[in-house]
mmCIF file of all heavy atoms in Angstrom:
data_model
loop_
_atom_site.group_PDB
_atom_site.id
_atom_site.type_symbol
_atom_site.label_atom_id
_atom_site.label_comp_id
_atom_site.label_asym_id
_atom_site.label_seq_id
_atom_site.Cartn_x
_atom_site.Cartn_y
_atom_site.Cartn_z
ATOM 1 N N SER A 1 -49.936 56.959 95.111
ATOM 2 C CA SER A 1 -51.112 56.126 95.420
ATOM 3 C C SER A 1 -51.885 56.777 96.528
ATOM 4 O O SER A 1 -51.374 57.653 97.229
ATOM 5 C CB SER A 1 -50.705 54.705 95.816
ATOM 6 O OG SER A 1 -49.882 54.724 96.958
ATOM 7 N N ASP A 2 -53.159 56.417 96.632
ATOM 8 C CA ASP A 2 -53.998 57.028 97.647
ATOM 9 C C ASP A 2 -55.081 56.055 98.072
ATOM 10 O O ASP A 2 -55.236 55.000 97.482
ATOM 11 C CB ASP A 2 -54.618 58.355 97.149
ATOM 12 C CG ASP A 2 -55.487 58.162 95.894
ATOM 13 O OD1 ASP A 2 -56.480 57.441 95.968
ATOM 14 O OD2 ASP A 2 -55.134 58.742 94.847
ATOM 15 N N THR A 3 -55.801 56.452 99.082
ATOM 16 C CA THR A 3 -56.901 55.637 99.578
ATOM 17 C C THR A 3 -58.240 56.261 99.168
ATOM 18 O O THR A 3 -59.233 56.123 99.887
ATOM 19 C CB THR A 3 -56.848 55.514 101.126
ATOM 20 O OG1 THR A 3 -56.879 56.836 101.703
ATOM 21 C CG2 THR A 3 -55.606 54.778 101.581
ATOM 22 N N GLY A 4 -58.243 56.893 98.012
ATOM 23 C CA GLY A 4 -59.413 57.576 97.511
ATOM 24 C C GLY A 4 -60.452 56.628 96.916
ATOM 25 O O GLY A 4 -60.412 55.400 97.117
ATOM 26 N N VAL A 5 -61.350 57.206 96.142
ATOM 27 C CA VAL A 5 -62.497 56.479 95.628
ATOM 28 C C VAL A 5 -62.128 55.382 94.609
ATOM 29 O O VAL A 5 -62.894 54.442 94.403
ATOM 30 C CB VAL A 5 -63.533 57.436 94.959
ATOM 31 C CG1 VAL A 5 -64.095 58.375 96.020
ATOM 32 C CG2 VAL A 5 -62.925 58.192 93.818
ATOM 33 N N GLY A 6 -60.984 55.508 93.994
ATOM 34 C CA GLY A 6 -60.528 54.498 93.059
ATOM 35 C C GLY A 6 -61.234 54.600 91.716
ATOM 36 O O GLY A 6 -62.057 55.449 91.494
ATOM 37 N N VAL A 7 -60.894 53.688 90.838
ATOM 38 C CA VAL A 7 -61.450 53.643 89.481
ATOM 39 C C VAL A 7 -61.967 52.222 89.261
ATOM 40 O O VAL A 7 -61.264 51.262 89.517
ATOM 41 C CB VAL A 7 -60.377 53.994 88.420
ATOM 42 C CG1 VAL A 7 -60.932 53.896 87.019
ATOM 43 C CG2 VAL A 7 -59.795 55.371 88.695
ATOM 44 N N ALA A 8 -63.188 52.155 88.754
ATOM 45 C CA ALA A 8 -63.767 50.847 88.467
ATOM 46 C C ALA A 8 -62.895 50.102 87.434
ATOM 47 O O ALA A 8 -62.331 50.714 86.531
ATOM 48 C CB ALA A 8 -65.197 51.019 87.930
ATOM 49 N N GLN A 9 -62.784 48.809 87.594
ATOM 50 C CA GLN A 9 -61.921 48.010 86.725
ATOM 51 C C GLN A 9 -62.255 48.208 85.249
ATOM 52 O O GLN A 9 -61.354 48.259 84.416
ATOM 53 C CB GLN A 9 -62.051 46.514 87.115
ATOM 54 C CG GLN A 9 -60.994 45.655 86.506
ATOM 55 C CD GLN A 9 -59.586 45.981 86.951
ATOM 56 O OE1 GLN A 9 -59.341 46.331 88.105
ATOM 57 N NE2 GLN A 9 -58.634 45.937 86.026
ATOM 58 N N ASP A 10 -63.551 48.304 84.924
ATOM 59 C CA ASP A 10 -63.909 48.457 83.518
ATOM 60 C C ASP A 10 -63.645 49.858 82.945
ATOM 61 O O ASP A 10 -63.805 50.086 81.747
ATOM 62 C CB ASP A 10 -65.388 48.077 83.300
ATOM 63 C CG ASP A 10 -66.363 48.998 84.049
ATOM 64 O OD1 ASP A 10 -66.002 49.524 85.106
ATOM 65 O OD2 ASP A 10 -67.488 49.164 83.551
ATOM 66 N N LYS A 11 -63.194 50.781 83.793
ATOM 67 C CA LYS A 11 -62.876 52.132 83.342
ATOM 68 C C LYS A 11 -61.380 52.420 83.264
ATOM 69 O O LYS A 11 -60.942 53.431 82.703
ATOM 70 C CB LYS A 11 -63.499 53.183 84.279
ATOM 71 C CG LYS A 11 -64.977 53.054 84.487
ATOM 72 C CD LYS A 11 -65.717 53.436 83.218
ATOM 73 C CE LYS A 11 -67.227 53.358 83.480
ATOM 74 N NZ LYS A 11 -67.996 53.583 82.274
ATOM 75 N N ILE A 12 -60.576 51.524 83.804
ATOM 76 C CA ILE A 12 -59.108 51.713 83.900
ATOM 77 C C ILE A 12 -58.500 52.043 82.521
ATOM 78 O O ILE A 12 -57.689 52.933 82.375
ATOM 79 C CB ILE A 12 -58.425 50.472 84.489
ATOM 80 C CG1 ILE A 12 -58.801 50.290 85.923
ATOM 81 C CG2 ILE A 12 -56.894 50.527 84.319
ATOM 82 C CD1 ILE A 12 -58.014 51.070 86.911
ATOM 83 N N ASP A 13 -58.939 51.317 81.487
ATOM 84 C CA ASP A 13 -58.335 51.510 80.161
ATOM 85 C C ASP A 13 -58.691 52.852 79.516
ATOM 86 O O ASP A 13 -58.103 53.242 78.523
ATOM 87 C CB ASP A 13 -58.810 50.402 79.199
ATOM 88 C CG ASP A 13 -58.235 49.035 79.580
ATOM 89 O OD1 ASP A 13 -57.193 49.001 80.281
ATOM 90 O OD2 ASP A 13 -58.832 48.021 79.204
ATOM 91 N N HIS A 14 -59.626 53.582 80.125
ATOM 92 C CA HIS A 14 -60.110 54.818 79.509
ATOM 93 C C HIS A 14 -59.695 56.080 80.275
ATOM 94 O O HIS A 14 -60.005 57.187 79.837
ATOM 95 C CB HIS A 14 -61.615 54.793 79.380
ATOM 96 C CG HIS A 14 -62.105 53.637 78.596
ATOM 97 N ND1 HIS A 14 -61.994 53.560 77.235
ATOM 98 C CD2 HIS A 14 -62.655 52.447 78.996
ATOM 99 C CE1 HIS A 14 -62.485 52.403 76.828
ATOM 100 N NE2 HIS A 14 -62.889 51.716 77.870
ATOM 101 N N ILE A 15 -59.017 55.962 81.427
ATOM 102 C CA ILE A 15 -58.763 57.126 82.246
ATOM 103 C C ILE A 15 -57.787 58.124 81.635
ATOM 104 O O ILE A 15 -57.727 59.276 82.051
ATOM 105 C CB ILE A 15 -58.292 56.785 83.694
ATOM 106 C CG1 ILE A 15 -56.966 56.001 83.667
ATOM 107 C CG2 ILE A 15 -59.386 56.010 84.421
ATOM 108 C CD1 ILE A 15 -56.396 55.816 85.059
ATOM 109 N N PHE A 16 -57.061 57.705 80.597
ATOM 110 C CA PHE A 16 -56.108 58.627 79.954
ATOM 111 C C PHE A 16 -56.690 59.218 78.681
ATOM 112 O O PHE A 16 -56.041 59.956 77.956
ATOM 113 C CB PHE A 16 -54.776 57.925 79.659
ATOM 114 C CG PHE A 16 -54.016 57.590 80.908
ATOM 115 C CD1 PHE A 16 -53.981 56.281 81.346
ATOM 116 C CD2 PHE A 16 -53.377 58.557 81.669
ATOM 117 C CE1 PHE A 16 -53.313 55.969 82.537
ATOM 118 C CE2 PHE A 16 -52.711 58.230 82.822
ATOM 119 C CZ PHE A 16 -52.688 56.939 83.255
ATOM 120 N N GLU A 17 -57.963 58.940 78.394
ATOM 121 C CA GLU A 17 -58.641 59.497 77.219
ATOM 122 C C GLU A 17 -59.200 60.876 77.577
ATOM 123 O O GLU A 17 -59.666 61.103 78.681
ATOM 124 C CB GLU A 17 -59.777 58.598 76.764
ATOM 125 C CG GLU A 17 -59.331 57.245 76.259
ATOM 126 C CD GLU A 17 -60.450 56.309 75.946
ATOM 127 O OE1 GLU A 17 -61.617 56.714 76.057
ATOM 128 O OE2 GLU A 17 -60.157 55.149 75.590
ATOM 129 N N ALA A 18 -59.154 61.784 76.616
ATOM 130 C CA ALA A 18 -59.640 63.155 76.845
ATOM 131 C C ALA A 18 -61.124 63.164 77.209
ATOM 132 O O ALA A 18 -61.912 62.422 76.614
ATOM 133 C CB ALA A 18 -59.426 63.993 75.582
ATOM 134 N N PHE A 19 -61.458 63.959 78.192
ATOM 135 C CA PHE A 19 -62.823 64.196 78.669
ATOM 136 C C PHE A 19 -63.462 62.920 79.245
ATOM 137 O O PHE A 19 -64.657 62.834 79.407
ATOM 138 C CB PHE A 19 -63.727 64.765 77.569
ATOM 139 C CG PHE A 19 -63.172 66.015 76.957
ATOM 140 C CD1 PHE A 19 -62.675 66.007 75.677
ATOM 141 C CD2 PHE A 19 -63.143 67.189 77.703
ATOM 142 C CE1 PHE A 19 -62.144 67.196 75.107
ATOM 143 C CE2 PHE A 19 -62.633 68.372 77.127
ATOM 144 C CZ PHE A 19 -62.125 68.341 75.853
ATOM 145 N N SER A 20 -62.609 61.946 79.593
ATOM 146 C CA SER A 20 -63.152 60.713 80.143
ATOM 147 C C SER A 20 -63.085 60.753 81.657
ATOM 148 O O SER A 20 -62.061 61.074 82.269
ATOM 149 C CB SER A 20 -62.323 59.533 79.624
ATOM 150 O OG SER A 20 -62.772 58.318 80.188
ATOM 151 N N GLN A 21 -64.216 60.448 82.304
ATOM 152 C CA GLN A 21 -64.258 60.307 83.756
ATOM 153 C C GLN A 21 -65.034 59.039 84.038
ATOM 154 O O GLN A 21 -65.707 58.476 83.179
ATOM 155 C CB GLN A 21 -64.898 61.521 84.407
ATOM 156 C CG GLN A 21 -64.023 62.757 84.261
ATOM 157 C CD GLN A 21 -64.458 63.920 85.154
ATOM 158 O OE1 GLN A 21 -65.515 63.888 85.734
ATOM 159 N NE2 GLN A 21 -63.592 64.885 85.265
ATOM 160 N N GLN A 22 -64.980 58.596 85.297
ATOM 161 C CA GLN A 22 -65.593 57.324 85.635
ATOM 162 C C GLN A 22 -67.074 57.307 85.248
ATOM 163 O O GLN A 22 -67.541 56.370 84.630
ATOM 164 C CB GLN A 22 -65.444 57.053 87.132
ATOM 165 C CG GLN A 22 -65.952 55.687 87.506
ATOM 166 C CD GLN A 22 -65.167 55.126 88.665
ATOM 167 O OE1 GLN A 22 -63.972 55.202 88.711
ATOM 168 N NE2 GLN A 22 -65.883 54.498 89.586
ATOM 169 N N ASP A 23 -67.811 58.337 85.577
ATOM 170 C CA ASP A 23 -69.202 58.497 85.121
ATOM 171 C C ASP A 23 -69.637 59.925 85.380
ATOM 172 O O ASP A 23 -68.869 60.713 85.922
ATOM 173 C CB ASP A 23 -70.139 57.466 85.819
ATOM 174 C CG ASP A 23 -70.111 57.579 87.328
ATOM 175 O OD1 ASP A 23 -70.095 58.717 87.884
ATOM 176 O OD2 ASP A 23 -70.107 56.535 87.993
ATOM 177 N N THR A 24 -70.824 60.275 84.985
ATOM 178 C CA THR A 24 -71.250 61.690 85.109
ATOM 179 C C THR A 24 -71.368 62.133 86.539
ATOM 180 O O THR A 24 -71.207 63.296 86.849
ATOM 181 C CB THR A 24 -72.598 61.908 84.382
ATOM 182 O OG1 THR A 24 -73.543 60.967 84.870
ATOM 183 C CG2 THR A 24 -72.462 61.737 82.885
ATOM 184 N N SER A 25 -71.607 61.196 87.475
ATOM 185 C CA SER A 25 -71.687 61.587 88.873
ATOM 186 C C SER A 25 -70.334 62.040 89.396
ATOM 187 O O SER A 25 -70.261 62.869 90.297
ATOM 188 C CB SER A 25 -72.243 60.427 89.733
ATOM 189 O OG SER A 25 -71.345 59.350 89.764
ATOM 190 N N THR A 26 -69.248 61.512 88.844
ATOM 191 C CA THR A 26 -67.906 61.928 89.214
ATOM 192 C C THR A 26 -67.709 63.431 88.873
ATOM 193 O O THR A 26 -67.207 64.220 89.664
ATOM 194 C CB THR A 26 -66.828 61.112 88.482
ATOM 195 O OG1 THR A 26 -67.047 59.735 88.800
ATOM 196 C CG2 THR A 26 -65.446 61.526 88.896
ATOM 197 N N THR A 27 -68.150 63.802 87.653
ATOM 198 C CA THR A 27 -68.052 65.228 87.238
ATOM 199 C C THR A 27 -68.874 66.097 88.168
ATOM 200 O O THR A 27 -68.426 67.145 88.602
ATOM 201 C CB THR A 27 -68.544 65.384 85.789
ATOM 202 O OG1 THR A 27 -67.788 64.474 84.958
ATOM 203 C CG2 THR A 27 -68.328 66.785 85.290
ATOM 204 N N ARG A 28 -70.101 65.669 88.480
ATOM 205 C CA ARG A 28 -70.959 66.482 89.362
ATOM 206 C C ARG A 28 -70.369 66.601 90.751
ATOM 207 O O ARG A 28 -70.390 67.676 91.341
ATOM 208 C CB ARG A 28 -72.364 65.850 89.444
ATOM 209 C CG ARG A 28 -73.236 66.156 88.233
ATOM 210 C CD ARG A 28 -74.696 65.799 88.500
ATOM 211 N NE ARG A 28 -74.894 64.451 88.966
ATOM 212 C CZ ARG A 28 -75.026 63.377 88.195
ATOM 213 N NH1 ARG A 28 -74.960 63.510 86.894
ATOM 214 N NH2 ARG A 28 -75.198 62.206 88.699
ATOM 215 N N LYS A 29 -69.871 65.519 91.316
ATOM 216 C CA LYS A 29 -69.408 65.506 92.684
ATOM 217 C C LYS A 29 -68.031 66.192 92.846
ATOM 218 O O LYS A 29 -67.815 66.929 93.796
ATOM 219 C CB LYS A 29 -69.355 64.085 93.222
ATOM 220 C CG LYS A 29 -68.985 64.010 94.684
ATOM 221 C CD LYS A 29 -69.077 62.599 95.235
ATOM 222 C CE LYS A 29 -68.778 62.541 96.707
ATOM 223 N NZ LYS A 29 -68.896 61.225 97.272
ATOM 224 N N TYR A 30 -67.116 65.907 91.942
ATOM 225 C CA TYR A 30 -65.741 66.369 92.135
ATOM 226 C C TYR A 30 -65.317 67.496 91.170
ATOM 227 O O TYR A 30 -64.302 68.111 91.375
ATOM 228 C CB TYR A 30 -64.750 65.202 91.951
ATOM 229 C CG TYR A 30 -64.940 64.120 92.976
ATOM 230 C CD1 TYR A 30 -65.614 62.946 92.643
ATOM 231 C CD2 TYR A 30 -64.459 64.261 94.266
ATOM 232 C CE1 TYR A 30 -65.778 61.950 93.596
ATOM 233 C CE2 TYR A 30 -64.634 63.269 95.231
ATOM 234 C CZ TYR A 30 -65.281 62.098 94.867
ATOM 235 O OH TYR A 30 -65.465 61.105 95.805
ATOM 236 N N GLY A 31 -66.067 67.713 90.123
ATOM 237 C CA GLY A 31 -65.710 68.730 89.164
ATOM 238 C C GLY A 31 -64.591 68.262 88.227
ATOM 239 O O GLY A 31 -64.185 67.096 88.261
ATOM 240 N N GLY A 32 -64.109 69.161 87.423
ATOM 241 C CA GLY A 32 -63.024 68.835 86.493
ATOM 242 C C GLY A 32 -63.566 68.492 85.108
ATOM 243 O O GLY A 32 -64.744 68.302 84.909
ATOM 244 N N THR A 33 -62.616 68.406 84.154
ATOM 245 C CA THR A 33 -62.979 68.184 82.763
ATOM 246 C C THR A 33 -62.575 66.809 82.264
ATOM 247 O O THR A 33 -62.984 66.416 81.178
ATOM 248 C CB THR A 33 -62.334 69.230 81.851
ATOM 249 O OG1 THR A 33 -60.922 69.110 82.017
ATOM 250 C CG2 THR A 33 -62.808 70.625 82.200
ATOM 251 N N GLY A 34 -61.748 66.111 83.022
ATOM 252 C CA GLY A 34 -61.234 64.849 82.540
ATOM 253 C C GLY A 34 -60.058 65.005 81.602
ATOM 254 O O GLY A 34 -59.773 64.128 80.784
ATOM 255 N N LEU A 35 -59.342 66.136 81.699
ATOM 256 C CA LEU A 35 -58.199 66.338 80.822
ATOM 257 C C LEU A 35 -56.848 66.181 81.510
ATOM 258 O O LEU A 35 -55.831 65.976 80.863
ATOM 259 C CB LEU A 35 -58.254 67.763 80.249
ATOM 260 C CG LEU A 35 -59.271 67.991 79.150
ATOM 261 C CD1 LEU A 35 -59.336 69.462 78.774
ATOM 262 C CD2 LEU A 35 -58.951 67.145 77.936
ATOM 263 N N GLY A 36 -56.825 66.211 82.848
ATOM 264 C CA GLY A 36 -55.540 66.209 83.581
ATOM 265 C C GLY A 36 -54.680 64.990 83.276
ATOM 266 O O GLY A 36 -53.496 65.110 82.971
ATOM 267 N N LEU A 37 -55.262 63.794 83.369
ATOM 268 C CA LEU A 37 -54.476 62.582 83.113
ATOM 269 C C LEU A 37 -54.106 62.465 81.640
ATOM 270 O O LEU A 37 -53.021 61.956 81.292
ATOM 271 C CB LEU A 37 -55.232 61.337 83.576
ATOM 272 C CG LEU A 37 -55.460 61.213 85.093
ATOM 273 C CD1 LEU A 37 -56.230 59.956 85.422
ATOM 274 C CD2 LEU A 37 -54.095 61.185 85.825
ATOM 275 N N THR A 38 -54.976 62.922 80.762
ATOM 276 C CA THR A 38 -54.675 62.918 79.326
ATOM 277 C C THR A 38 -53.459 63.777 79.018
ATOM 278 O O THR A 38 -52.523 63.346 78.333
ATOM 279 C CB THR A 38 -55.883 63.431 78.506
ATOM 280 O OG1 THR A 38 -56.993 62.637 78.820
ATOM 281 C CG2 THR A 38 -55.593 63.396 77.032
ATOM 282 N N ILE A 39 -53.451 65.001 79.560
ATOM 283 C CA ILE A 39 -52.320 65.900 79.353
ATOM 284 C C ILE A 39 -51.035 65.317 79.943
ATOM 285 O O ILE A 39 -49.990 65.323 79.266
ATOM 286 C CB ILE A 39 -52.646 67.300 79.915
ATOM 287 C CG1 ILE A 39 -53.777 67.936 79.120
ATOM 288 C CG2 ILE A 39 -51.378 68.166 79.941
ATOM 289 C CD1 ILE A 39 -54.354 69.172 79.763
ATOM 290 N N ALA A 40 -51.120 64.814 81.144
ATOM 291 C CA ALA A 40 -49.939 64.209 81.790
ATOM 292 C C ALA A 40 -49.381 63.057 80.938
ATOM 293 O O ALA A 40 -48.184 62.967 80.707
ATOM 294 C CB ALA A 40 -50.285 63.722 83.184
ATOM 295 N N SER A 41 -50.257 62.212 80.448
ATOM 296 C CA SER A 41 -49.850 61.074 79.650
ATOM 297 C C SER A 41 -49.190 61.525 78.349
ATOM 298 O O SER A 41 -48.121 61.012 77.960
ATOM 299 C CB SER A 41 -51.065 60.191 79.333
ATOM 300 O OG SER A 41 -50.727 59.173 78.476
ATOM 301 N N LYS A 42 -49.767 62.511 77.665
ATOM 302 C CA LYS A 42 -49.206 63.003 76.382
ATOM 303 C C LYS A 42 -47.829 63.639 76.614
ATOM 304 O O LYS A 42 -46.922 63.437 75.804
ATOM 305 C CB LYS A 42 -50.156 64.007 75.750
ATOM 306 C CG LYS A 42 -51.515 63.452 75.412
ATOM 307 C CD LYS A 42 -51.491 62.762 74.091
ATOM 308 C CE LYS A 42 -52.931 62.364 73.703
ATOM 309 N NZ LYS A 42 -53.010 61.125 72.993
ATOM 310 N N VAL A 43 -47.716 64.430 77.672
ATOM 311 C CA VAL A 43 -46.399 65.074 77.923
ATOM 312 C C VAL A 43 -45.358 64.019 78.213
ATOM 313 O O VAL A 43 -44.219 64.099 77.689
ATOM 314 C CB VAL A 43 -46.530 66.066 79.131
ATOM 315 C CG1 VAL A 43 -45.178 66.568 79.579
ATOM 316 C CG2 VAL A 43 -47.413 67.235 78.721
ATOM 317 N N LEU A 44 -45.681 63.013 79.004
ATOM 318 C CA LEU A 44 -44.702 61.926 79.284
ATOM 319 C C LEU A 44 -44.317 61.213 78.029
ATOM 320 O O LEU A 44 -43.151 60.861 77.821
ATOM 321 C CB LEU A 44 -45.270 60.971 80.317
ATOM 322 C CG LEU A 44 -45.287 61.470 81.753
ATOM 323 C CD1 LEU A 44 -46.075 60.548 82.647
ATOM 324 C CD2 LEU A 44 -43.878 61.655 82.272
ATOM 325 N N GLN A 45 -45.286 60.911 77.162
ATOM 326 C CA GLN A 45 -44.996 60.246 75.872
ATOM 327 C C GLN A 45 -44.047 61.073 75.042
ATOM 328 O O GLN A 45 -43.111 60.531 74.443
ATOM 329 C CB GLN A 45 -46.271 59.983 75.116
ATOM 330 C CG GLN A 45 -47.120 58.852 75.721
ATOM 331 C CD GLN A 45 -48.481 58.722 75.032
ATOM 332 O OE1 GLN A 45 -48.777 59.373 74.038
ATOM 333 N NE2 GLN A 45 -49.334 57.888 75.604
ATOM 334 N N LYS A 46 -44.269 62.386 74.997
ATOM 335 C CA LYS A 46 -43.410 63.273 74.196
ATOM 336 C C LYS A 46 -41.981 63.304 74.729
ATOM 337 O O LYS A 46 -41.033 63.435 73.988
ATOM 338 C CB LYS A 46 -43.968 64.680 74.151
ATOM 339 C CG LYS A 46 -45.320 64.759 73.482
ATOM 340 C CD LYS A 46 -45.170 65.540 72.208
ATOM 341 C CE LYS A 46 -46.571 65.709 71.604
ATOM 342 N NZ LYS A 46 -46.627 65.260 70.270
ATOM 343 N N MET A 47 -41.851 63.169 76.058
ATOM 344 C CA MET A 47 -40.512 63.178 76.669
ATOM 345 C C MET A 47 -39.831 61.776 76.612
ATOM 346 O O MET A 47 -38.686 61.636 76.979
ATOM 347 C CB MET A 47 -40.568 63.636 78.138
ATOM 348 C CG MET A 47 -40.846 65.127 78.264
ATOM 349 S SD MET A 47 -40.585 65.743 79.936
ATOM 350 C CE MET A 47 -41.872 64.929 80.863
#
């Protein structure tokens, strides 16, 4: 857990979807592709 920016309640269900980020400003400000949580989720499911 962290004290970071957090995720809006209406976006929580989508954070594990490929290329999904909170909004386009998140991509501009922080970078990334939106694949990290998707990959982590898929690997955990496979295990």
Side-chain angles (χ1 to χ4, degrees):
S1 60
D2 59 62
T3 58
V5 296
V7 178
Q9 193 63 39
D10 63 330
K11 304 291 184 185
I12 294 275
D13 293 337
H14 303 285
I15 63 172
F16 293 104
E17 294 174 4
F19 305 109
S20 178
Q21 292 193 349
Q22 186 149 316
D23 57 42
T24 55
S25 67
T26 302
T27 305
R28 281 193 306 275
K29 185 173 182 178
Y30 298 101
T33 60
L35 286 174
L37 292 179
T38 302
I39 293 168
S41 175
K42 298 276 187 215
V43 170
L44 285 171
Q45 288 173 5
K46 296 247 184 234
M47 288 192 294

